[in-house]
């Protein structure tokens, strides 16, 4: 049985879903000869670790309890030591403990840090973990989009296969936000922009503050990861990003309540006019990233109705990849673009790939 020790950082929706996947797939992984041993779980304030990280992990009953506690909005610190089977550290102690585990388990065991947080504060720990020979799996995009740090759909795997085969990728255009994909496809049918955004919020597609999605920065981070994968030496500031709301409606200028009650509806006319102009030319509007050589920009584009992106409906992600072999008809990658379950499943698949790195 090949054992992969894990430290999970972040117990939000994706982190909890990942724990549930790990627990529910025990018998499947056993048939594959793999044991995922969760030796530590962190939230923003605490870390809980197994009493002996060398020989045991947190048991499944305790992992399930972690999910219950975090679902209620509580901190891991309320769990207690559970009869000596685990230890709990808080604040600065927790950072030191995580690094200490990495320094002892490190290079030979395949200790893997799984970052399911949405924080840039994990970057320092992740850098130390890499220096100590640990593996990293990220659902959190921020560490990969900080100034030149390091290099749901199987996009990166697909691109790596093209590049490894000597097929250079020269252009990518994609709808990389399930939220904005939904919004753009719905306004196409004549619904007011404000109504569609409100519906998306009610469906759970948007962040609590929809401006976190409408600003386009989440798409920009994904685009930056892909551009760097293709060799572009870009930082986030190098990407031109079109926000779907003006600066005067930003979170630092307008409250969420005012934005939802009045600010959002004031954007309807402008979006509706753009939809009509596109439609008159047989096109539709999509919020996309465009990576063309070393250039990258994010925003609304007019695209043909009969193109893969033009046919996009709902919250799916769609990526068109143009290379030497796919010059006239692009390689199209499409699938679910929103949901904790989909993201967690992708993270779990990446964790299992790590076993091939160790004998």
């Amino acid at each position: 049985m090949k054992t992969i020790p894990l430290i999970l950082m972040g117990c939000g929706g994706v982190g909890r879903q990942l724990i549930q996947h790990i627990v529910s797939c025990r018998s499947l992984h056993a048939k594959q000869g793999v044991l995922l041993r969760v030796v530590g779980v962190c939230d923003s304030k605490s870390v809980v670790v197994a009493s002996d990280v060398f020989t045991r992990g947190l048991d499944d009953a305790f992992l399930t309890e972690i999910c219950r506690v975090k679902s209620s909005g509580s901190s891991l610190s309320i769990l207690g030591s559970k009869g000596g089977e685990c230890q709990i550290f808080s604040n600065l102690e927790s950072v030191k403990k995580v690094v200490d585990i990495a320094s002892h388990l490190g290079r030979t065991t395949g200790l893997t840090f799984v970052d399911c947080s949405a924080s840039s504060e994990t970057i320092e720990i992740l850098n130390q973990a890499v220096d100590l020979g640990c593996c990293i799996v990220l659902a959190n995009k921020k560490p990969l989009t900080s100034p030149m740090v390091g290099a749901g759909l199987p996009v990166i795997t697909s691109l790596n296969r093209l590049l490894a085969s000597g097929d250079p990728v020269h252009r990518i255009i994609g709808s990389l936000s399930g939220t904005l994909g939904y919004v753009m496809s719905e306004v196409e049918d004549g619904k007011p922009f404000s109504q569609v955004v409100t519906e998306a919020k009610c469906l759970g597609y948007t962040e609590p503050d929809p401006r976190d999605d409408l600003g386009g920065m989440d798409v920009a981070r994904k685009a930056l990861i892909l551009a760097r994968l293709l060799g572009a030496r870009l930082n986030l500031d190098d990407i031109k990003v079109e926000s779907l709301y003006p600066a005067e409606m930003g979170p630092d200028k307008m409250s969420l309540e005012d934005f939802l009650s009045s600010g959002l509806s004031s954007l309807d006319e402008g979006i509706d006019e753009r939809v009509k102009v596109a439609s008159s030319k047989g096109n539709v509007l999509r919020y996309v990233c465009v990576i063309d050589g070393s250039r990258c920009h994010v925003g609304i584009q007019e695209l043909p109705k009969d193109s893969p992106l033009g046919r996009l409906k709902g919250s799916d992600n769609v990526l068109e990849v143009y290379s030497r072999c796919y010059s006239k008809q692009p390689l199209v990658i499409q699938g679910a673009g929103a949901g904790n379950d989909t993201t967690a499943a992708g993270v779990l698949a990446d964790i299992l790939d790590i076993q091939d790195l160790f004998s």
Side-chain angles (χ1 to χ4, degrees):
M1 184 74 74
K2 192 176 291 186
T3 299
I4 302 176
L6 306 174
I7 293 178
L8 172 62
M9 306 171 74
C11 297
V14 175
R16 295 194 303 272
Q17 191 67 56
L18 176 61
I19 289 175
Q20 292 170 22
H21 278 326
I22 290 172
V23 171
S24 65
C25 290
R26 288 295 188 202
S27 59
L28 173 62
H29 293 161
K31 292 176 182 177
Q32 297 171 343
V34 180
L35 172 64
L36 301 182
R37 179 157 56 91
V38 183
V39 299
V41 178
C42 315
D43 62 14
S44 60
K45 297 178 181 178
S46 309
V47 56
V48 53
V49 298
S51 57
D52 183 357
V53 295
F54 295 98
T55 62
R56 64 191 306 174
L58 302 170
D59 66 42
D60 288 352
F62 191 64
L63 291 174
T64 302
E65 178 65 7
I66 287 175
C67 290
R68 187 194 67 77
V69 167
K70 293 306 299 180
S71 293
S72 70
S74 300
S75 168
L76 291 175
S77 59
I78 72 167
L79 286 168
S81 61
K82 201 193 170 204
E85 292 183 22
C86 66
Q87 306 170 70
I88 295 181
F89 302 87
S90 59
N91 300 325
L92 183 60
E93 272 188 318
S94 66
V95 177
K96 291 178 178 177
K97 187 61 183 178
V98 169
V99 174
D100 183 56
I101 294 172
S103 66
H104 284 89
L105 288 178
R107 204 172 299 275
T108 58
T109 64
L111 175 63
T112 299
F113 281 72
V114 183
D115 186 356
C116 290
S117 72
S119 172
S120 57
E121 295 179 4
T122 60
I123 293 173
E124 183 179 351
I125 293 177
L126 294 174
N127 280 335
Q128 292 182 60
V130 169
D131 290 341
L132 292 166
C134 300
C135 298
I136 304 294
V137 174
L138 303 174
N140 180 11
K141 294 175 286 294
K142 292 181 180 177
L144 290 179
T145 54
S146 63
M148 293 311 293
V149 171
L153 288 175
V155 172
I156 291 177
T157 301
S158 301
L159 290 178
N160 276 333
R161 287 177 65 87
L162 289 179
L163 298 173
S165 70
D167 185 12
V169 175
H170 55 82
R171 177 178 166 85
I172 292 176
I173 179 169
S175 174
L176 299 180
S177 165
T179 302
L180 295 178
Y182 172 83
V183 169
M184 289 293 103
S185 65
E186 289 292 302
V187 296
E188 175 189 337
D189 295 331
K191 292 183 180 179
F193 178 70
S194 58
Q195 177 185 333
V196 173
V197 172
T198 301
E199 289 173 356
K201 188 175 188 298
C202 292
L203 290 168
Y205 288 165
T206 74
E207 296 295 329
D209 186 339
R211 287 173 293 188
D212 291 343
D213 299 289
L214 301 177
M217 291 308 297
D218 185 62
V219 175
R221 292 188 184 97
K222 294 174 182 177
L224 179 57
I225 292 170
L226 297 181
R228 287 180 173 176
L229 182 66
L230 301 184
R233 296 189 63 80
L234 297 175
N235 287 321
L236 201 55
D237 292 341
D238 300 318
I239 299 177
K240 183 180 179 181
V241 182
E242 177 186 1
S243 173
L244 297 186
Y245 61 86
E248 58 267 24
M249 292 186 190
D252 56 337
K253 302 284 180 62
M254 180 180 284
S255 70
L256 174 58
E257 182 179 341
D258 288 344
F259 177 72
L260 294 175
S261 63
S262 59
L264 196 53
S265 59
S266 70
L267 304 175
D268 288 346
E269 185 176 349
I271 295 292
D272 182 58
E273 182 61 29
R274 293 178 73 172
V275 169
K276 289 177 180 176
V277 169
S279 180
S280 69
K281 295 183 267 183
N283 294 331
V284 293
L285 299 182
R286 294 292 181 261
Y287 194 95
V288 298
C289 77
V290 179
I291 303 167
D292 202 341
S294 60
R295 294 170 299 177
C296 181
H297 62 272
V298 169
I300 293 179
Q301 295 263 318
E302 285 189 27
L303 296 167
K305 270 186 180 180
D306 61 352
S307 67
L309 280 160
R311 292 191 296 269
L312 173 66
K313 294 292 183 182
S315 61
D316 273 9
N317 283 175
V318 177
L319 204 72
E320 297 179 13
V321 181
Y322 295 84
S323 67
R324 187 189 69 238
C325 296
Y326 295 92
S327 57
K328 295 181 180 179
Q329 293 294 328
L331 171 65
V332 178
I333 306 171
Q334 179 170 356
N340 294 331
D341 194 12
T342 303
T343 304
V347 170
L348 182 56
D350 285 344
I351 293 170
L352 292 171
D353 282 343
I354 285 174
Q355 65 179 305
D356 296 330
L357 302 176
F358 298 90
S359 58

